[in-house]
Amino acid sequence: QLERHARDKLDSKGADFIIANLVGGESCAFGSDFNFVQVYSHHEEVLQLGPLSKAVLAEKLIDHLSRSFTSNL
């Protein structure tokens, strides 16, 4: 259901990427310092990141998104 919702939003918003934050489980519970996300786009496979600290996750997301935009120029 998460993937369907993410892909619907990707289309309806006309976005290049949608990042779905998976909440739950012991390591990624609500309020935790760790997150697990899935990155959806029209041009790439689903990227799964985590569980990672929010700081490391942010770095990995910035790196992935910047590489994706650079390769599409």
Side-chain angles (χ1 to χ4, degrees):
Q1 187 175 16
L2 178 68
E3 181 171 0
R4 182 172 29 117
H5 181 70
R7 292 209 180 273
D8 287 348
K9 189 163 268 201
L10 189 67
D11 291 335
S12 70
K13 300 291 184 182
D16 293 313
F17 296 92
I18 291 289
I19 300 170
N21 184 15
L22 302 171
V23 179
E26 288 183 29
S27 61
C28 296
F30 188 76
S32 170
D33 290 333
F34 292 87
N35 278 21
F36 181 87
V37 300
Q38 293 177 331
V39 182
Y40 295 88
S41 76
H42 295 289
H43 310 292
E44 300 173 3
E45 294 290 318
V46 176
L47 173 66
Q48 297 188 32
L49 296 171
L52 297 167
S53 71
K54 292 177 182 180
V56 172
L57 184 59
E59 290 175 9
K60 290 192 177 291
L61 284 170
I62 289 168
D63 182 56
H64 176 72
L65 295 175
S66 65
R67 280 187 284 117
S68 295
F69 281 115
T70 302
S71 68
N72 288 325
L73 292 179

